[in-house]
Amino acid sequence: MTSEDVLGLLPADDPVRLIDADGTKVQGSGSERYELPSDADLLRAYERLVVARRLNDQANALVRQGRLAVYPSSHGQEACQVGAAHVLKQGDWLFPTYRDTVAAVERGVDPVDVLTLLKGDWHSGYDPYETQVAPATTPLATQLPHAVGVAHAARLRGESTVVMALTGDGGTSEGDFHEALNFAAVFKAPVVFFIQNNEYAISVPLARQSAAASLAHKGIGYGVPGQRVDGNDIAAVLAVLGDAVERARRGEGPQLIEAHTYRMQAHTNADDATRYRLDSEVASWVDRDPLTRLEKHLRSRGLMTDETHEQARAAADAVAEHVREGLNRDIEPDARELFAYVYAEQTPQLREQAAQVAEESSREVAGR
Ligand SMILES: Cc1ncc(C[n+]2csc(CCOP(=O)(O)OP(=O)(O)O)c2C)c(N)n1
């Protein structure tokens, strides 16, 4: 590889942005390399951002009512999640993390099913093979080698599948992240690694996480081209991810895309974010909100009517009601199932543990 080839792997100096915070179309910031999505795509994205925001609000409310055990909100990151799902085609796979409820829903999974795990059930709540959405993983970055495996297998079978593998900024410090990038690059696996850099890994700020020039630069050592994108600009997210997905589909191998965004709420309901960041910092991101930015843009171009607004609100109302109803039903996890699906054939230890649990629960039932 020559130095020039290496330069080709480098991400842009500034994150690619197509629409500014005030809603105007950007000149520069990589906007010459990427096209603004069509009016129809932007209008659809608007409706889905409104639905996504409402889903976050509804899930937070369900936590307060004790209907959900935990919810890692993606308030502020909705453009990343809607964008990541919308650039995929039928047959493509999505590998989400615990924070990517919205992405899974945008990929077509029923929100009630996605939230089942966070209600306390032991399984992912949906069938990965039916939905082509992998289970949302809590152990950081463990989904990334799996995503590469699925992509590599599809390529060996001659399928045109592309895999979108999501991770947070903290996840990029995990060994699995690096192993996944290396394998994907060597075997030209059709996978797009998409980092939602929301500035924090719980209480750890980015500056304590990585000294790399940017997280997108981390691909260079493996031969994976990187790109940076303004994660609060849905137009840029759609354009940059769409380009990466189509390159992967053409057989050009993996890419590493870093979205610059911000986690507007606490890590989860179990976290108190005021202990490690200032309110003024959070407030400085309000003006960059992905939803209002797109709304301003659509209004300035006369594309947004009261009807568009109403339609989006109605779609959000319907999703919120569906989620409220679905999560009002109690789940009845069967503890014995914990042992049933670990291995095709149970080990003696698992058999012993399963018997112990069965014995304990029958004693409980008998009230002893
Ligand atoms: C392997 C592993 N180590 C530690 C944790 C504990 N943990 C849960 S979330 C989290 C922070 C992750 O931050 P980031 O990857 O930036 O994602 P974000 O939560 O900001 O979306 C940590 C350390 C974990 N889940 N898995």
Side-chain angles (χ1 to χ4, degrees), residues 72-73 77 97-100 137-142 167-172 174 196-204 209 263 267:
S73 167
Q77 297 177 224
T97 76
Y98 51 85
R99 197 173 300 288
D100 302 319
T137 41
T138 299
L140 302 177
T142 52
T167 178
D169 39 289
T172 70
E174 291 287 336
Q196 289 173 70
N197 170 5
N198 63 10
E199 301 273 341
Y200 287 91
I202 316 183
S203 55
V204 178
Q209 186 68 249
R263 196 192 75 217
H267 174 72

Coordinates of all heavy atoms in Angstrom, one line a residue, residues 72-73 77 97-100 137-142 167-172 174 196-204 209 263 267, ligand 1:
P72 N -32.4 2.3 27.8 CA -31.3 3.2 27.4 C -31.8 4.1 26.2 O -32.0 3.6 25.1 CB -30.2 2.2 26.9 CG -30.8 0.8 27.2 CD -32.3 1.0 27.3
S73 N -32.1 5.3 26.5 CA -32.7 6.2 25.6 C -31.8 6.6 24.5 O -30.6 6.9 24.7 CB -33.2 7.4 26.3 OG -33.6 8.4 25.4
Q77 N -30.2 10.9 19.4 CA -29.5 10.0 18.4 C -30.4 9.4 17.4 O -30.0 8.5 16.7 CB -28.8 8.9 19.2 CG -27.7 9.4 20.1 CD -27.1 8.2 20.9 OE1 -26.9 8.4 22.1 NE2 -26.7 7.1 20.3
T97 N -27.2 -2.7 19.4 CA -26.8 -2.7 20.8 C -28.1 -2.4 21.6 O -29.2 -2.1 21.0 CB -25.8 -1.7 21.2 OG1 -26.4 -0.4 21.3 CG2 -24.6 -1.6 20.2
Y98 N -27.9 -2.5 22.9 CA -29.1 -2.1 23.8 C -29.6 -0.8 23.6 O -30.8 -0.5 23.9 CB -28.6 -2.3 25.3 CG -27.3 -1.5 25.5 CD1 -27.4 -0.1 25.8 CD2 -26.1 -2.0 25.4 CE1 -26.2 0.6 25.9 CE2 -24.9 -1.3 25.5 CZ -25.0 0.0 25.8 OH -23.9 0.8 25.9
R99 N -28.9 0.2 23.0 CA -29.4 1.5 22.8 C -30.1 1.7 21.5 O -30.6 2.8 21.2 CB -28.2 2.6 22.9 CG -28.8 4.0 23.1 CD -27.7 5.0 23.4 NE -26.9 4.7 24.5 CZ -27.3 4.8 25.8 NH1 -28.5 5.2 26.1 NH2 -26.5 4.5 26.8
D100 N -30.2 0.6 20.7 CA -30.7 0.8 19.4 C -32.1 0.3 19.1 O -32.4 -0.2 18.1 CB -29.7 0.1 18.4 CG -28.3 0.7 18.5 OD1 -28.2 1.9 18.7 OD2 -27.3 -0.1 18.6
T137 N -27.5 -6.5 21.8 CA -26.5 -7.1 22.8 C -26.1 -6.0 23.8 O -25.9 -4.9 23.5 CB -25.2 -7.5 22.1 OG1 -24.9 -6.6 21.1 CG2 -25.4 -8.9 21.5
T138 N -26.1 -6.5 25.1 CA -25.6 -5.7 26.2 C -24.1 -5.8 26.3 O -23.4 -4.8 26.6 CB -26.4 -6.0 27.5 OG1 -27.7 -5.7 27.2 CG2 -25.9 -5.2 28.6
P139 N -23.5 -7.0 26.2 CA -22.0 -7.0 26.3 C -21.4 -6.3 25.1 O -21.7 -6.6 24.0 CB -21.7 -8.5 26.2 CG -23.0 -9.2 26.4 CD -24.1 -8.3 26.0
L140 N -20.6 -5.3 25.5 CA -20.1 -4.4 24.4 C -19.3 -5.1 23.3 O -18.4 -5.8 23.6 CB -19.3 -3.3 25.0 CG -19.9 -2.4 26.1 CD1 -18.9 -1.4 26.7 CD2 -21.1 -1.7 25.6
A141 N -19.7 -4.7 22.1 CA -18.9 -5.1 20.9 C -19.0 -6.6 20.5 O -18.4 -7.0 19.5 CB -17.5 -4.7 20.9
T142 N -19.6 -7.4 21.4 CA -19.6 -8.9 21.1 C -20.4 -9.2 19.8 O -20.2 -10.2 19.2 CB -20.2 -9.7 22.2 OG1 -21.5 -9.1 22.6 CG2 -19.4 -9.7 23.5
T167 N -22.3 0.2 17.0 CA -21.6 0.2 18.3 C -21.5 1.6 18.8 O -21.7 2.6 18.1 CB -20.1 -0.3 18.1 OG1 -19.5 -0.3 19.4 CG2 -19.3 0.4 17.2
G168 N -21.3 1.8 20.1 CA -21.1 3.1 20.7 C -19.6 3.4 20.7 O -18.7 2.6 20.3
D169 N -19.2 4.6 21.1 CA -17.8 5.0 21.2 C -17.1 4.1 22.2 O -15.9 3.7 21.9 CB -17.7 6.5 21.5 CG -18.7 7.0 22.6 OD1 -19.9 7.1 22.3 OD2 -18.2 7.2 23.8
G170 N -17.7 3.8 23.3 CA -17.0 3.0 24.3 C -16.7 1.6 23.7 O -15.6 1.0 24.0
G171 N -17.6 1.1 22.9 CA -17.4 -0.2 22.3 C -16.2 -0.3 21.4 O -15.6 -1.4 21.2
T172 N -15.7 0.8 20.9 CA -14.5 0.8 20.0 C -13.2 0.5 20.8 O -12.1 0.3 20.2 CB -14.3 2.1 19.2 OG1 -13.9 3.1 20.1 CG2 -15.6 2.5 18.5
E174 N -13.1 -2.1 22.8 CA -13.1 -3.5 23.1 C -12.3 -4.3 22.1 O -12.3 -4.0 20.9 CB -14.6 -4.0 23.0 CG -15.4 -3.5 24.2 CD -15.1 -4.2 25.5 OE1 -14.6 -5.3 25.5 OE2 -15.4 -3.6 26.5
Q196 N -21.9 5.2 16.8 CA -22.6 6.4 17.3 C -21.8 6.9 18.4 O -21.9 6.5 19.6 CB -24.0 6.0 17.8 CG -25.0 5.6 16.7 CD -26.3 5.1 17.2 OE1 -27.1 5.9 17.8 NE2 -26.6 3.8 17.1
N197 N -21.0 7.9 18.1 CA -20.2 8.6 19.1 C -21.0 9.6 19.8 O -21.2 10.7 19.3 CB -18.9 9.2 18.4 CG -18.2 10.1 19.4 OD1 -18.5 10.2 20.6 ND2 -17.2 10.7 18.9
N198 N -21.6 9.2 21.0 CA -22.5 10.2 21.7 C -21.7 10.8 22.8 O -22.3 11.3 23.8 CB -23.7 9.4 22.1 CG -23.4 8.3 23.1 OD1 -22.3 8.2 23.6 ND2 -24.4 7.5 23.5
E199 N -20.4 10.8 22.7 CA -19.5 11.5 23.7 C -19.3 10.8 25.0 O -18.4 11.2 25.7 CB -20.0 13.0 23.9 CG -20.1 13.8 22.7 CD -18.8 14.5 22.4 OE1 -17.9 14.7 23.2 OE2 -18.6 14.9 21.2
Y200 N -20.1 9.9 25.4 CA -19.9 9.3 26.7 C -20.1 7.7 26.6 O -21.0 7.3 25.9 CB -21.0 9.8 27.7 CG -20.6 11.2 28.2 CD1 -21.1 12.3 27.5 CD2 -19.8 11.4 29.2 CE1 -20.8 13.6 27.9 CE2 -19.4 12.7 29.6 CZ -19.9 13.8 28.9 OH -19.6 15.1 29.3
A201 N -19.3 7.0 27.4 CA -19.6 5.6 27.7 C -20.0 5.6 29.2 O -19.1 5.6 30.1 CB -18.4 4.8 27.5
I202 N -21.2 5.6 29.5 CA -21.8 5.9 30.8 C -21.1 7.2 31.3 O -21.3 8.3 30.6 CB -21.6 4.8 31.9 CG1 -22.0 3.4 31.2 CG2 -22.5 5.1 33.1 CD1 -22.0 2.2 32.2
S203 N -20.2 7.2 32.3 CA -19.6 8.4 32.8 C -18.3 8.8 32.2 O -17.7 9.8 32.5 CB -19.5 8.3 34.3 OG -18.7 7.2 34.6
V204 N -17.8 7.9 31.3 CA -16.5 8.1 30.7 C -16.6 9.0 29.4 O -17.1 8.5 28.4 CB -15.8 6.8 30.4 CG1 -14.4 7.0 29.7 CG2 -15.7 5.9 31.6
Q209 N -11.5 8.0 26.6 CA -11.8 6.7 26.0 C -10.8 6.4 24.9 O -10.4 5.3 24.7 CB -13.2 6.8 25.3 CG -13.7 5.5 24.7 CD -14.0 4.5 25.8 OE1 -13.3 3.5 25.8 NE2 -15.0 4.7 26.6
R263 N -25.7 12.0 23.6 CA -26.7 11.3 24.3 C -27.4 12.4 25.2 O -26.8 12.8 26.2 CB -26.1 10.2 25.2 CG -27.0 9.2 25.8 CD -26.3 8.4 26.8 NE -26.2 9.1 28.0 CZ -25.1 9.1 28.8 NH1 -24.1 8.3 28.6 NH2 -25.0 9.8 29.9
H267 N -27.5 7.7 30.8 CA -27.1 6.4 30.1 C -28.3 5.5 30.1 O -28.7 4.9 29.1 CB -26.0 5.8 30.9 CG -25.6 4.4 30.4 ND1 -25.0 4.2 29.2 CD2 -25.8 3.2 31.0 CE1 -24.8 2.9 29.0 NE2 -25.3 2.3 30.1
Ligands
LIG1 C1 -17.9 -6.1 27.7 C2 -18.6 -5.1 28.6 N1 -18.0 -4.3 29.4 C3 -18.6 -3.4 30.2 C4 -19.9 -3.3 30.1 C5 -20.7 -2.3 31.0 N2 -21.2 -1.2 30.2 C6 -22.5 -1.1 29.8 S1 -22.8 0.2 28.8 C7 -21.2 0.7 28.9 C8 -20.8 2.0 28.2 C9 -20.9 1.8 26.7 O1 -20.6 3.0 26.1 P1 -20.8 3.2 24.5 O2 -20.1 2.0 23.8 O3 -20.2 4.5 24.2 O4 -22.3 3.1 24.2 P2 -23.5 4.0 24.7 O5 -24.0 3.4 26.0 O6 -23.0 5.4 24.9 O7 -24.5 3.9 23.6 C10 -20.4 -0.1 29.7 C11 -19.0 0.1 30.0 C12 -20.6 -4.1 29.2 N3 -21.9 -4.0 29.0 N4 -20.0 -5.0 28.4

